[in-house]
Amino acid sequence: MAILRFVLLTILVLVVLRLVRFALAPPRRPAGRSAPPPRTLPEALVQDPVCGLRLPASRAVRDGEAFFCSEDCRRASRGR
Ligand SMILES: [Zn+2]
């Protein structure tokens, strides 16, 4: 019965292929504990010492080592 052998061999190949695919698949994370999808790195936040606002460094007004949310806060820090 050559055809029976052929069928059995086909099933065997399919099972092996499935096992290989399963072994190569990336491990699943446990549900509910999945990390958020990777995004671009958040920009470092700086804190305005005058009003306490936190904002990205690129949007802050820099004065030496200090960062401020606006010119007003920078002036306020100097005026003291
Ligand atoms: Zn401020």
Side-chain angles (χ1 to χ4, degrees):
M1 288 291 271
I3 190 137
L4 188 64
R5 247 196 216 173
F6 176 75
V7 168
L8 284 176
L9 197 68
T10 306
I11 291 171
L12 188 69
V13 167
L14 285 176
V15 168
V16 168
L17 276 179
R18 191 163 287 193
L19 284 176
V20 167
R21 207 181 287 172
F22 180 77
L24 291 180
R28 279 191 178 184
R29 293 170 187 272
R33 240 203 256 171
S34 59
R39 278 178 281 171
T40 52
L41 281 176
E43 195 177 352
L45 290 179
V46 294
Q47 188 164 21
D48 184 327
V50 176
C51 67
L53 192 78
R54 295 174 73 88
L55 68 163
S58 64
R59 292 178 54 194
V61 178
R62 187 169 184 179
D63 187 9
E65 292 297 303
F67 291 91
F68 304 95
C69 69
S70 64
E71 275 296 322
D72 289 342
C73 280
R74 190 177 68 84
R75 254 180 261 130
S77 76
R78 294 211 154 177
R80 275 180 206 172

